[in-house]
Amino acid sequence: TGLWRRMGVLLDRAALLVDDQDRSEGVYYVTFRPEAHERRGGFFSRLFSTGESARLRPDTQYQIHLRQAGDWVQVIPRSQAGEALSGGEAAAVLERIEQELNPGGNQG
């Protein structure tokens, strides 16, 4: 669906490069590659990505699970092995994705 494709693009823009995917399970397999994001980003993307990048190690692999919850889609980051992440690491992954969902900040 459009959501699945859009999420793949958002992940790539968030420097979480898609290595593989299992659409039937709702899982993306990604690798954090900050250099890909910094090449594309300008001053503001570098400014705002500094905090969460410090909590994520380059070349770390993650699973990004999508779960339908009514009208919402839950985005659940997990370790490469599918285990829960620490609060700080999970928040950092989600912050990267959120920045790409709303790159201009709050507009409403």
Side-chain angles (χ1 to χ4, degrees):
T1 66
L3 171 66
W4 186 258
R5 277 190 301 270
R6 183 171 182 230
M7 180 57 78
V9 170
L10 289 172
L11 291 170
D12 278 347
R13 287 182 184 166
L16 296 164
L17 304 183
V18 177
D19 299 318
D20 200 0
Q21 55 189 299
D22 184 341
R23 191 170 176 171
S24 66
E25 293 293 321
V27 180
Y28 286 96
Y29 300 91
V30 301
T31 302
F32 177 53
R33 297 271 165 84
E35 67 279 359
H37 187 263
E38 291 164 6
R39 274 199 309 268
R40 285 191 297 246
F43 171 75
F44 287 109
S45 67
R46 287 191 304 272
L47 178 68
F48 292 119
S49 67
T50 304
E52 67 271 2
S53 293
R55 293 181 275 170
L56 299 176
R57 292 184 320 275
D59 299 321
T60 302
Q61 295 179 317
Y62 297 99
Q63 294 182 14
I64 306 297
H65 293 251
L66 302 183
R67 299 285 181 255
Q68 189 73 38
D71 292 337
W72 296 87
V73 175
Q74 292 178 318
V75 178
I76 305 162
R78 297 205 172 268
S79 72
Q80 178 184 12
E83 299 168 347
L85 298 175
S86 70
E89 192 173 17
V93 171
L94 291 172
E95 285 170 17
R96 293 198 72 83
I97 296 168
E98 183 181 28
Q99 284 177 359
E100 295 305 323
L101 281 170
N102 193 9
N106 291 334
Q107 298 176 0

